[in-house]
Every structure is written in structure tokens, then in C-alpha cells.
Amino acid sequence: MEVPQEQKEMKTKIMSQLHEQYAINNNANLSSIIALVVALIVAIGYYGYVFIKSRSSFADDLGSFYNHDSDLFTLDALLFTYLSSCVVLAILCRLCIYQGVAQRKEQFIIDAIRSQYNAWDTDIFPEDYHPYDKKGLKIVQGLYGELIQIYRGIFVLITVFTLYKLLINVITHSHCVCSCFALVEFFTVILLIIIILCCTYRYYDKQIESYDKRQNEFKNKEYYKKRFGK
């Protein structure tokens, strides 16, 4: 059966619009990603500076996190900088999760438009070029998913470096009685980190639920059953 001329023209127009939109989205994504990377560099830069310039002991009092004589920070300053870096990483992760999942959900609408005008009847698109049945961070579209993995890796690294400094403190000051303030400080930071991780994971879980809800909605449509035979 010959495809009507109107449908051919519509398909050509859709392909042209998709190409134009692809370029626009790439430029917009590039600006967003640059901003995210700059924020990451600033946060990690501050942590790296304090880590290098920190000694392996806690402050003697609450108001002395920097020793002017030795020109070094105390472990207290490193712990607080570590905590603030984790907060920044969590915020960046939430932004990436939101933007990446939102773009993935928009693909369902684009996919429906393509299917309506048989735009898939071409060799341009690969077989898996669709938003369905993505798992884990694959749901977070494009570089946003990659950035989340980078943030996660950096979180592990700064955690290891911070624990390394704390271990040095335990080894070099094993004969000293640890101050109550240092213990409260340490366990407070640990508690806050756990809360940050739980909140971030919960937010990710909610976004995945929204993706699954959108996916189930479009899987019930007739074009999906015809196209995928399900």
C-alpha cells in the first residue's frame, strides 16, 4: 500500500524538526553541564585545599579551627568542609536526577509522535532508540547519568581521604584521651551524611517511580502494542 503524499511530507517535517530540536537541546545541555562541572570543581577545590593544609589533630577549643603559627587547619575544619562538599554533591545529584529523568519522560511524547506518523519506518534510528524499559541510571538520560556516577565516585574518594586523616589522628594520638567535643563532632557529621544519602536516594527513588508511571501509561496505548507486539 502506497503511503499518502501528506504523510510523507509530515514525516519529512518531523525528521527536520527533531534534528533542529536535537541541536537546541545539545546546546542547552552543554550550558547546564558546564555549570554543574564548575560547581563540582569549586566544592572539591575547597575540600582539597583544606585537606592539604590540615593537621592530624582536633582543635583545642571551639573557636580555633585554624592555627596561625603552623598555618594549618584542624581536623574539625576538614570534617566541616567534607560535610559541606557532600551537601553540594547531593544537590548536584538531585539536579541531575531531576533533569535527566524529566528528559527521559519527555521522550515518551516524542516517541508517540514519531509512531503516529510512522517516523520509525527509517534506517536512521537504532533499535533501542526509545525510552522504554530503561533500568537504574540508564533512566537518567545522557550526560546527567554519567555525572551522577562521577559525583558518586568523588563522594567515595573524599570519604576515604577524610577517614585517612582521622586514622592518622587515632594512630598519632593513641595515648591521648579523645575530647568529648571531637567525638560529638565526628558522630554528628556521620549522622548528617547518612541523612543526606537517605534523602538523595529517596528522591531518586521517587523520580524512578514517576518514570515507571509514565512508561506504564504509554505502554497501554495502541501504537506501542502494534510497534513492539506486546
Side-chain angles (χ1 to χ4, degrees), residues 2 11 16 47 49 70 74-75 81 92 103 111 125 127 132 135 187 191-192 205 230:
E2 186 179 352
K11 184 188 295 186
S16 176
Y47 174 83
Y49 178 77
S70 62
T74 63
L75 271 180
T81 306
L92 294 177
Q103 288 188 2
D111 184 82
F125 302 108
E127 287 186 16
Y132 297 99
K135 302 295 181 183
F187 285 110
L191 178 62
L192 290 174
D205 198 45
K230 296 180 181 181

mmCIF file of all heavy atoms in Angstrom, residues 2 11 16 47 49 70 74-75 81 92 103 111 125 127 132 135 187 191-192 205 230:
data_model
loop_
_atom_site.group_PDB
_atom_site.id
_atom_site.type_symbol
_atom_site.label_atom_id
_atom_site.label_comp_id
_atom_site.label_asym_id
_atom_site.label_seq_id
_atom_site.Cartn_x
_atom_site.Cartn_y
_atom_site.Cartn_z
ATOM 1 N N GLU A 2 0.609 2.142 -0.944
ATOM 2 C CA GLU A 2 1.422 3.348 -1.074
ATOM 3 C C GLU A 2 1.093 4.350 0.032
ATOM 4 O O GLU A 2 -0.070 4.577 0.356
ATOM 5 C CB GLU A 2 1.173 3.994 -2.440
ATOM 6 C CG GLU A 2 2.096 5.164 -2.706
ATOM 7 C CD GLU A 2 1.866 5.770 -4.067
ATOM 8 O OE1 GLU A 2 1.094 5.183 -4.869
ATOM 9 O OE2 GLU A 2 2.453 6.829 -4.343
ATOM 10 N N LYS A 11 6.167 13.255 7.670
ATOM 11 C CA LYS A 11 7.309 12.521 8.190
ATOM 12 C C LYS A 11 8.609 13.303 7.980
ATOM 13 O O LYS A 11 9.444 13.399 8.869
ATOM 14 C CB LYS A 11 7.418 11.155 7.506
ATOM 15 C CG LYS A 11 8.526 10.282 8.053
ATOM 16 C CD LYS A 11 8.725 9.017 7.238
ATOM 17 C CE LYS A 11 7.510 8.126 7.334
ATOM 18 N NZ LYS A 11 7.756 6.815 6.662
ATOM 19 N N SER A 16 12.910 16.746 10.242
ATOM 20 C CA SER A 16 13.628 18.024 10.228
ATOM 21 C C SER A 16 13.525 18.723 11.581
ATOM 22 O O SER A 16 14.509 19.248 12.112
ATOM 23 C CB SER A 16 13.059 18.911 9.124
ATOM 24 O OG SER A 16 13.662 20.184 9.151
ATOM 25 N N TYR A 47 37.617 21.597 49.346
ATOM 26 C CA TYR A 47 37.937 20.417 50.161
ATOM 27 C C TYR A 47 39.409 20.043 50.012
ATOM 28 O O TYR A 47 40.100 19.772 51.009
ATOM 29 C CB TYR A 47 37.066 19.233 49.763
ATOM 30 C CG TYR A 47 37.479 17.959 50.479
ATOM 31 C CD1 TYR A 47 37.026 17.684 51.761
ATOM 32 C CD2 TYR A 47 38.355 17.054 49.877
ATOM 33 C CE1 TYR A 47 37.433 16.543 52.439
ATOM 34 C CE2 TYR A 47 38.759 15.906 50.541
ATOM 35 C CZ TYR A 47 38.302 15.657 51.820
ATOM 36 O OH TYR A 47 38.715 14.528 52.481
ATOM 37 N N TYR A 49 41.921 21.919 49.206
ATOM 38 C CA TYR A 49 42.781 22.911 49.854
ATOM 39 C C TYR A 49 42.848 22.679 51.359
ATOM 40 O O TYR A 49 43.938 22.681 51.957
ATOM 41 C CB TYR A 49 42.253 24.315 49.555
ATOM 42 C CG TYR A 49 43.046 25.417 50.233
ATOM 43 C CD1 TYR A 49 44.280 25.822 49.728
ATOM 44 C CD2 TYR A 49 42.565 26.040 51.387
ATOM 45 C CE1 TYR A 49 45.004 26.825 50.341
ATOM 46 C CE2 TYR A 49 43.286 27.038 52.012
ATOM 47 C CZ TYR A 49 44.505 27.429 51.484
ATOM 48 O OH TYR A 49 45.237 28.409 52.116
ATOM 49 N N SER A 70 51.259 27.458 62.756
ATOM 50 C CA SER A 70 51.643 26.389 61.825
ATOM 51 C C SER A 70 51.046 26.583 60.432
ATOM 52 O O SER A 70 51.395 25.857 59.497
ATOM 53 C CB SER A 70 51.205 25.033 62.379
ATOM 54 O OG SER A 70 49.791 24.987 62.513
ATOM 55 N N THR A 74 42.618 22.558 61.409
ATOM 56 C CA THR A 74 42.443 21.403 62.288
ATOM 57 C C THR A 74 41.552 20.363 61.605
ATOM 58 O O THR A 74 40.962 20.630 60.552
ATOM 59 C CB THR A 74 41.798 21.828 63.619
ATOM 60 O OG1 THR A 74 40.495 22.353 63.344
ATOM 61 C CG2 THR A 74 42.646 22.882 64.323
ATOM 62 N N LEU A 75 41.442 19.186 62.217
ATOM 63 C CA LEU A 75 40.566 18.152 61.681
ATOM 64 C C LEU A 75 39.103 18.578 61.707
ATOM 65 O O LEU A 75 38.293 18.108 60.908
ATOM 66 C CB LEU A 75 40.735 16.853 62.479
ATOM 67 C CG LEU A 75 41.813 15.881 61.988
ATOM 68 C CD1 LEU A 75 41.853 14.650 62.869
ATOM 69 C CD2 LEU A 75 41.585 15.488 60.543
ATOM 70 N N THR A 81 34.325 20.861 56.173
ATOM 71 C CA THR A 81 34.472 21.042 54.726
ATOM 72 C C THR A 81 34.006 19.804 53.978
ATOM 73 O O THR A 81 33.374 19.901 52.923
ATOM 74 C CB THR A 81 35.943 21.335 54.365
ATOM 75 O OG1 THR A 81 36.411 22.444 55.143
ATOM 76 C CG2 THR A 81 36.089 21.666 52.891
ATOM 77 N N LEU A 92 23.837 18.629 43.569
ATOM 78 C CA LEU A 92 24.141 18.416 42.154
ATOM 79 C C LEU A 92 23.514 17.118 41.647
ATOM 80 O O LEU A 92 23.010 17.060 40.516
ATOM 81 C CB LEU A 92 25.658 18.400 41.939
ATOM 82 C CG LEU A 92 26.392 19.718 42.202
ATOM 83 C CD1 LEU A 92 27.889 19.540 42.032
ATOM 84 C CD2 LEU A 92 25.887 20.814 41.277
ATOM 85 N N GLN A 103 13.853 14.636 31.066
ATOM 86 C CA GLN A 103 14.102 14.491 29.634
ATOM 87 C C GLN A 103 13.725 13.093 29.145
ATOM 88 O O GLN A 103 13.219 12.934 28.036
ATOM 89 C CB GLN A 103 15.571 14.775 29.327
ATOM 90 C CG GLN A 103 15.935 16.234 29.432
ATOM 91 C CD GLN A 103 17.341 16.516 28.933
ATOM 92 O OE1 GLN A 103 18.034 15.618 28.468
ATOM 93 N NE2 GLN A 103 17.768 17.751 29.015
ATOM 94 N N ASP A 111 8.266 9.951 21.208
ATOM 95 C CA ASP A 111 8.137 8.613 20.648
ATOM 96 C C ASP A 111 6.727 8.376 20.113
ATOM 97 O O ASP A 111 6.541 7.760 19.054
ATOM 98 C CB ASP A 111 8.470 7.579 21.720
ATOM 99 C CG ASP A 111 8.462 6.157 21.186
ATOM 100 O OD1 ASP A 111 9.468 5.743 20.591
ATOM 101 O OD2 ASP A 111 7.439 5.463 21.365
ATOM 102 N N PHE A 125 17.178 5.519 12.902
ATOM 103 C CA PHE A 125 17.137 5.243 14.332
ATOM 104 C C PHE A 125 17.566 3.810 14.630
ATOM 105 O O PHE A 125 17.095 2.878 13.973
ATOM 106 C CB PHE A 125 15.723 5.462 14.885
ATOM 107 C CG PHE A 125 15.192 6.846 14.666
ATOM 108 C CD1 PHE A 125 14.189 7.074 13.739
ATOM 109 C CD2 PHE A 125 15.702 7.914 15.374
ATOM 110 C CE1 PHE A 125 13.694 8.348 13.527
ATOM 111 C CE2 PHE A 125 15.213 9.192 15.177
ATOM 112 C CZ PHE A 125 14.214 9.415 14.249
ATOM 113 N N GLU A 127 17.674 0.264 16.950
ATOM 114 C CA GLU A 127 16.553 -0.486 17.519
ATOM 115 C C GLU A 127 16.195 -0.032 18.937
ATOM 116 O O GLU A 127 15.031 -0.011 19.316
ATOM 117 C CB GLU A 127 16.874 -1.979 17.540
ATOM 118 C CG GLU A 127 16.829 -2.625 16.159
ATOM 119 C CD GLU A 127 17.017 -4.124 16.252
ATOM 120 O OE1 GLU A 127 16.872 -4.675 17.364
ATOM 121 O OE2 GLU A 127 17.306 -4.743 15.220
ATOM 122 N N TYR A 132 11.709 3.161 26.555
ATOM 123 C CA TYR A 132 11.094 2.069 27.297
ATOM 124 C C TYR A 132 12.116 1.125 27.935
ATOM 125 O O TYR A 132 13.210 0.915 27.407
ATOM 126 C CB TYR A 132 10.172 1.255 26.379
ATOM 127 C CG TYR A 132 9.017 2.060 25.836
ATOM 128 C CD1 TYR A 132 9.074 2.595 24.557
ATOM 129 C CD2 TYR A 132 7.887 2.299 26.606
ATOM 130 C CE1 TYR A 132 8.021 3.351 24.059
ATOM 131 C CE2 TYR A 132 6.833 3.052 26.115
ATOM 132 C CZ TYR A 132 6.909 3.578 24.846
ATOM 133 O OH TYR A 132 5.873 4.333 24.358
ATOM 134 N N LYS A 135 16.737 0.830 32.915
ATOM 135 C CA LYS A 135 16.946 0.415 34.295
ATOM 136 C C LYS A 135 18.042 1.256 34.956
ATOM 137 O O LYS A 135 19.003 1.664 34.309
ATOM 138 C CB LYS A 135 17.343 -1.064 34.364
ATOM 139 C CG LYS A 135 16.334 -2.026 33.736
ATOM 140 C CD LYS A 135 15.015 -2.026 34.504
ATOM 141 C CE LYS A 135 14.016 -2.999 33.878
ATOM 142 N NZ LYS A 135 12.710 -2.961 34.562
ATOM 143 N N PHE A 187 30.505 12.076 65.227
ATOM 144 C CA PHE A 187 29.259 11.332 65.084
ATOM 145 C C PHE A 187 28.136 12.197 64.511
ATOM 146 O O PHE A 187 27.237 11.690 63.828
ATOM 147 C CB PHE A 187 28.843 10.727 66.428
ATOM 148 C CG PHE A 187 29.667 9.532 66.815
ATOM 149 C CD1 PHE A 187 30.562 9.605 67.872
ATOM 150 C CD2 PHE A 187 29.564 8.346 66.107
ATOM 151 C CE1 PHE A 187 31.338 8.509 68.232
ATOM 152 C CE2 PHE A 187 30.336 7.239 66.462
ATOM 153 C CZ PHE A 187 31.222 7.316 67.518
ATOM 154 N N LEU A 191 26.131 11.199 61.163
ATOM 155 C CA LEU A 191 24.668 11.175 61.145
ATOM 156 C C LEU A 191 24.116 12.027 60.005
ATOM 157 O O LEU A 191 23.194 11.604 59.284
ATOM 158 C CB LEU A 191 24.125 11.659 62.490
ATOM 159 C CG LEU A 191 22.598 11.745 62.611
ATOM 160 C CD1 LEU A 191 21.975 10.369 62.428
ATOM 161 C CD2 LEU A 191 22.204 12.347 63.949
ATOM 162 N N LEU A 192 24.685 13.217 59.826
ATOM 163 C CA LEU A 192 24.223 14.110 58.765
ATOM 164 C C LEU A 192 24.490 13.520 57.380
ATOM 165 O O LEU A 192 23.659 13.648 56.467
ATOM 166 C CB LEU A 192 24.891 15.480 58.902
ATOM 167 C CG LEU A 192 24.448 16.315 60.107
ATOM 168 C CD1 LEU A 192 25.288 17.581 60.222
ATOM 169 C CD2 LEU A 192 22.966 16.668 59.999
ATOM 170 N N ASP A 205 14.531 7.544 44.072
ATOM 171 C CA ASP A 205 13.503 6.510 44.025
ATOM 172 C C ASP A 205 12.162 7.093 43.567
ATOM 173 O O ASP A 205 11.428 6.475 42.780
ATOM 174 C CB ASP A 205 13.362 5.871 45.409
ATOM 175 C CG ASP A 205 12.654 4.527 45.360
ATOM 176 O OD1 ASP A 205 12.979 3.715 44.479
ATOM 177 O OD2 ASP A 205 11.767 4.288 46.197
ATOM 178 N N LYS A 230 3.426 -6.169 21.945
ATOM 179 C CA LYS A 230 3.198 -6.549 23.341
ATOM 180 C C LYS A 230 1.804 -6.118 23.775
ATOM 181 O O LYS A 230 1.244 -5.192 23.255
ATOM 182 C CB LYS A 230 4.251 -5.899 24.255
ATOM 183 C CG LYS A 230 5.670 -6.390 23.954
ATOM 184 C CD LYS A 230 6.640 -5.714 24.885
ATOM 185 C CE LYS A 230 8.077 -6.164 24.590
ATOM 186 N NZ LYS A 230 9.056 -5.551 25.486
#
